[in-house]
Amino acid sequence: MHWILLIFAIAAEVAGTTFMKLSLGFTKLVPSLLLIVFYLLSLTLLNLALKGIPIGVAYAIWSGMGTLLVVGIGWALFGEPLSMLKLISICLIIAGVVGLNLGSNSHGNAESSVRQEHSVHTT
C-alpha cells in the first residue's frame, strides 16, 4: 500500500511540475492553482508513504523518478532538447535509486525503526 501511495505521490509531483511550466510564472490562473493542488497532494501522499518506506529510499525514488518523468515530458510536450549528457545523467539517477533500494532494508517497517530510534533517545 505504501508503495502505491509513493507512485501516486510521484505522479502528482510530475503533474504539479508540468502545471508549473504551463502557469508561465504564475501568470495563468488555472495552471497556477493546479500546480499548488498537485504539489500539496504529492507531499501528502509522500508523507503517508513514509509510514512504511524508509525516508531515504522514498525520497530518492520520489525525486529521481519525478526528475526522469519531467525530463521526458519536457522533451515530448515542450520540445526541450535531450542531449547525450542528459541521457547519461538520467541513467545515473536511475542507478542511484536502484542502489539505494538494494542497499537498504526498504521492505522493512519504517514505523518500527522510528520507534526504536525514539526509544534510544529517550532512555
Side-chain angles (χ1 to χ4, degrees):
M1 178 63 175
H2 298 105
W3 290 99
I4 293 169
L5 291 170
L6 181 60
I7 290 168
F8 283 117
I10 293 165
E13 189 268 335
V14 169
T17 302
T18 303
F19 283 114
M20 185 183 298
K21 174 77 170 177
L22 295 171
S23 77
L24 301 175
F26 291 109
T27 61
K28 303 285 184 182
L29 179 62
V30 173
S32 296
L33 293 174
L34 288 172
L35 88 85
I36 293 167
V37 167
F38 277 108
Y39 269 113
L40 287 173
L41 177 62
S42 177
L43 292 173
T44 300
L45 293 169
L46 179 60
N47 190 18
L48 294 172
L50 291 177
K51 289 183 175 183
I53 304 171
I55 190 170
V57 172
Y59 189 75
I61 293 171
W62 181 77
S63 60
M65 292 305 298
T67 301
L68 170 70
L69 293 169
V70 167
V71 167
I73 288 171
W75 172 75
L77 296 181
F78 300 114
E80 295 176 357
L82 192 57
S83 66
M84 185 56 70
L85 180 58
K86 281 186 181 179
L87 290 172
I88 292 169
S89 299
I90 289 169
C91 289
L92 290 172
I93 289 170
I94 293 169
V97 168
V98 169
L100 278 172
N101 226 344
L102 293 175
S104 72
N105 185 9
S106 62
H107 300 291
N109 186 343
E111 285 184 12
S112 65
S113 64
V114 169
R115 272 187 255 121
Q116 288 173 353
E117 183 177 314
H118 179 69
S119 67
V120 168
H121 294 294
T122 58
T123 56

